[in-house]
Amino acid sequence: MTVKTNERPGTRAVLRHARMSAYKAREVLDLVRGLDYTRAVELLDHTDRAAGPVVAKLLRSAAANAEHNDGQFPEELYVASCYADEGSTLRRFRPRARGRSSRIRKRTCHITIIVSRMSEEQIARLKARSAAQNADRRARRVAGARRRARATEAVEETAAPEADLDTEMAEETAPSEAEAKKTPAKKAPAKKAPAKAPAKKAAPAKKAAPAKKAAPAKAPAKKAAPAKKAPAKKAPAKKAASPAKATGVFGRIAKKSTRKPSGKDQS
């Protein structure tokens, strides 16, 4: 015997007159049917469909209803049932050629999500799986920390022998304390200061000679007048050379062209 959708046990949330077709909503509802709540929410948050955010919001509403009204934990819920029914259709028209019009149908749908509590076996299995995942993550973190510690220790060990060699070389080059005590350093003999010569008596200062009178200033010399330049004579312009007389055929042509026209009409 089948159970009707309105008789299925669980907590539900309904969205009426969603502005999308029922076919588009069903494509997204098929992805989360039967999944636990946490997994379903993660899947819907990363869905590229336009109905993804709408269904995710409705699923969170159903889990909030179960937590507030029935006192259940969202981590123990799963999507028991989800479906989309056709709603009212908005009819619009678009003008076309020759005075005609075409029909536009804007579909709507009613989306319903029902969540219910998982069985005790499923809850225990889910808790064991989550505990194993947490333990695996912790083991990976610990292994990574140990690996990093070993790497740092290896770097320090490789750097330590180099420091030991430096200290040994410094000890070999430096003299020991016993040798330093046996061979005291020789002191350099102190130099005697030279005897100072007796100071000579200062000679008596000579009297200053009387100052000479300044010579009278000479009169300023007159400036010589600038010499006048003679105007340059212009050279006579050379006559243009006469053109050479043409001889032969070219000369006869030139004579014909230079003849003056007569007044008589030769026609």
Side-chain angles (χ1 to χ4, degrees), residues 6-22:
N6 56 354
E7 295 177 357
R8 291 179 183 177
T11 308
R12 68 181 59 208
V14 182
L15 174 62
R16 300 283 183 184
H17 302 287
R19 294 296 297 269
M20 67 182 68
S21 65

Side-chain angles (χ1 to χ4, degrees), residues 4-218:
K4 296 181 180 180
T5 56
N6 56 354
E7 295 177 357
R8 291 179 183 177
T11 308
R12 68 181 59 208
V14 182
L15 174 62
R16 300 283 183 184
H17 302 287
R19 294 296 297 269
M20 67 182 68
S21 65
Y23 173 81
K24 295 178 180 178
R26 287 167 189 156
E27 291 289 327
V28 178
L29 293 174
D30 292 342
L31 299 175
V32 298
R33 188 178 288 108
L35 296 179
D36 58 287
Y37 171 72
T38 55
R39 175 63 180 156
V41 169
E42 291 176 359
L43 187 62
L44 291 173
D45 287 341
H46 294 85
T47 303
D48 293 337
R49 295 270 185 162
V54 178
V55 176
K57 188 175 181 179
L58 187 62
L59 179 59
R60 288 189 175 93
S61 177
N65 292 340
E67 183 179 7
H68 184 267
N69 299 336
D70 302 337
Q72 297 177 357
F73 296 102
E75 294 79 9
E76 299 177 354
L77 300 175
Y78 76 102
V79 182
S81 178
C82 56
Y83 51 89
D85 299 329
E86 290 186 4
S88 58
T89 302
L90 303 177
R91 292 173 178 82
R92 300 291 183 265
F93 295 94
R94 182 181 181 182
R96 303 304 294 268
R98 299 181 182 179
R100 294 175 297 179
S101 62
S102 60
R103 185 180 299 176
I104 298 174
R105 296 185 180 90
K106 295 181 180 293
R107 307 284 186 177
T108 62
C109 65
H110 309 310
I111 305 173
T112 305
I113 295 179
I114 301 173
V115 294
S116 59
R117 189 173 182 273
M118 292 184 288
S119 62
E120 297 296 335
E121 295 178 359
Q122 291 176 342
I123 293 172
R125 198 181 303 117
L126 187 63
K127 287 181 179 179
R129 190 188 307 157
S130 62
Q133 289 177 355
N134 293 336
D136 188 20
R137 292 171 187 166
R138 187 175 180 279
R140 289 179 183 176
R141 288 198 300 270
V142 172
R146 290 177 180 174
R147 200 181 303 112
R148 288 190 293 273
R150 289 172 188 168
T152 52
E153 289 176 2
V155 171
E156 291 175 359
E157 288 176 0
T158 54
E162 296 178 359
D164 295 340
L165 288 172
D166 294 339
T167 53
E168 289 177 3
M169 292 291 291
E171 289 175 359
E172 288 177 0
T173 54
S176 60
E177 294 180 1
E179 293 177 357
K181 288 179 180 178
K182 287 180 182 179
T183 57
K186 292 182 180 180
K187 293 182 179 180
K191 292 182 179 180
K192 293 181 179 180
K196 292 182 179 180
K200 294 181 180 181
K201 293 181 179 181
K206 293 181 180 181
K207 292 182 179 180
K212 293 181 179 181
K213 292 182 179 180
K218 291 182 180 181

